[in-house]
Each structure stands twice: as C-alpha cells, then as structure tokens.
Amino acid sequence: MFIDILIPSKNPDENLLKTVDSLSNIEEIKQIIIIDDSENPNNKTYKKIKKKHNKIILLKNYNPGISGALNTGIDFSNSKFLARIDSGDICLDKNRFKKIINIFENKITIDLVCSGIINNKNKKIKPRCYYIGNVLSPFSKVPHPTWVFKKSSITVKYKTEHNRFEDYAFLLDNKMKIYNLNQYDLLYDTSQNLSRLTEFKTAYFKSIF
C-alpha cells in the first residue's frame, strides 16, 4: 500500500525543498503532490525540486486558498492513503509511514493517524484527543502536518469558509476516528506563528463550529 503526500505551497522557497528532501527515499510514498497556490508556478524552487526528486507532481490550485489546494490534491490522488505536511516541516523518521500503514492494517475502524511534533524551540507537543460526548473538542491536539488518513473516509471535502480552522472542521465533517501515535517524528516550522489575537479568534470560531 502506498501514500500520497499533500503539500499546499504559496511563495515557495528553500523551506519547501528541505521538506521534500526529508521525504526522499521513503518507499511507502507513491507521490509527493505539491499544490501551487501562488502566482508564479514556474518558480525556480519548483524547478529545483523536480530536477532533484522523481516522485514530484506539481499541480496548479483550481480553488485558491489552503482548503482549495488540499481539495485539488485529494481529487488528483488515487492512492488509498493521503498524508499532510506543510512547507518548512521536516519528517524526522523515515520509518514512520511503514509504522502507520501497519497500524491501519491492524485497526480497521480508524480513519486517521497522527503523531507528536517538535517545534523550533525543541518543545515536544503530544497528540491528544478530548471529546464532548462524541464530538472532538476544539482543545484537542491533532497536529495536521503528521496526518495520514484513508481517502475512502472523506465524505466532505475542505470548505473555504473555515479559514484558520479548516483541519478541525474537516475532522468533524468527516467524523474521523483518530489514532494517536505516541512518538515525535516531525519538526514543526513555527517561524510564522500566528498573533495572539488571530489565535484567539481561531479558538473562538472552532468552539462555535
């Protein structure tokens, strides 16, 4: 079984190349699908990546914004499993996808596997799911750059109106059954942290969703 990696990309730079480099030579990855949401699809970074790596698919986003980019990648992929990662994030464990596929094979009822992350300050963030009844709480920690999920579990695609909390809405809309893998295998890029006001607004919109 193979996995397609989805990477939304806007204004690509060397961080995107580092992300793709960290995914190289992983046999479980079928394609690395970069969805371009910029105004310059001929960016030199894309050319450098395509020259260096042979699993790269570069798509132009048909519906601008990160939600549109993810939907473009979902529509294009024909693999059983999809994974998320963002430009600037680094895969630290090349065996993680093999472990995750084994988890899916042994736990038939789950839809999505996530794991922990290490931020730029070397702080470990453990995945945790909290529920209010059967509903995933907005205070859960389900780090989206670590996601691997079944394509067949998607009944509702990303919605553009859920800006800043599109991943949380995606989990709820699809009633995803989540498995938390207790390991830290991704370096999370925090160089573009949101302001406290934006974080507060995001938390508010998640709570009323």
Side-chain angles (χ1 to χ4, degrees):
M1 288 185 283
F2 292 99
I3 296 171
D4 280 349
I5 310 291
L6 306 182
I7 309 179
S9 173
K10 190 168 187 175
N11 303 320
D13 54 21
E14 289 300 310
N15 284 333
L16 177 60
L17 180 56
K18 291 177 183 177
T19 298
V20 175
D21 284 345
S22 76
L23 298 167
S24 64
N25 301 319
I26 298 177
E27 62 181 19
E28 292 78 25
I29 294 177
K30 179 181 178 183
Q31 299 174 131
I32 299 173
I33 303 172
I34 301 172
I35 309 99
D36 174 64
D37 192 36
S38 68
E39 297 179 357
N40 182 19
N42 294 317
N43 182 286
K44 63 181 181 181
T45 303
Y46 291 143
K47 293 179 180 178
K48 188 182 295 186
I49 289 171
K50 291 202 75 171
K51 184 177 180 180
K52 187 175 182 181
H53 299 282
N54 59 10
K55 292 184 178 182
I56 299 299
I57 302 292
L58 179 60
L59 302 178
K60 181 63 182 172
N61 186 13
Y62 65 74
N63 187 8
I66 189 167
S67 292
L70 290 167
N71 288 336
T72 297
I74 289 169
D75 288 343
F76 177 85
S77 173
N78 60 4
S79 290
K80 183 174 181 178
F81 298 107
L82 297 171
R84 283 267 338 249
I85 194 169
D86 292 329
S87 177
D89 298 333
I90 305 299
C91 176
L92 300 174
D93 180 5
K94 291 184 180 294
N95 291 316
R96 71 181 301 262
F97 296 106
K98 183 177 293 184
K99 297 175 188 176
I100 290 172
I101 288 176
N102 286 335
I103 290 170
F104 276 114
E105 288 176 339
N106 292 308
K107 295 184 179 294
I108 299 172
T109 60
I110 64 170
D111 302 299
L112 182 147
V113 174
C114 75
S115 55
I117 57 177
I118 303 173
N119 68 17
N120 288 7
K121 296 180 180 179
N122 206 34
K123 179 182 177 181
K124 292 182 177 180
I125 300 172
K126 185 177 182 178
R128 296 182 185 274
C129 290
Y130 305 107
Y131 291 89
I132 303 171
N134 294 321
V135 179
L136 183 71
S137 164
F139 300 104
S140 300
K141 290 181 172 60
V142 191
H144 66 264
T146 71
W147 288 8
V148 179
F149 54 95
K150 295 176 182 175
K151 184 174 182 180
S152 61
S153 296
I154 302 171
T155 57
V156 180
K157 289 193 288 188
Y158 281 90
K159 296 178 181 177
T160 56
E161 62 266 29
H162 297 153
N163 188 35
R164 296 293 186 190
F165 66 101
E166 62 277 341
D167 294 306
Y168 176 67
F170 180 78
L171 293 176
L172 264 60
D173 283 339
N174 291 286
K175 299 180 174 61
M176 291 280 186
K177 295 181 179 66
I178 302 166
Y179 181 90
N180 294 327
L181 184 59
N182 188 18
Q183 62 183 44
Y184 304 90
D185 47 22
L186 187 130
L187 180 62
Y188 184 55
D189 181 15
T190 55
S191 60
Q192 297 184 2
N193 277 342
L194 302 178
S195 68
R196 288 187 178 273
L197 178 60
T198 301
E199 288 182 343
F200 177 80
K201 288 180 178 178
T202 300
Y204 170 74
F205 286 122
K206 286 170 70 175
S207 67
I208 65 173
F209 174 68

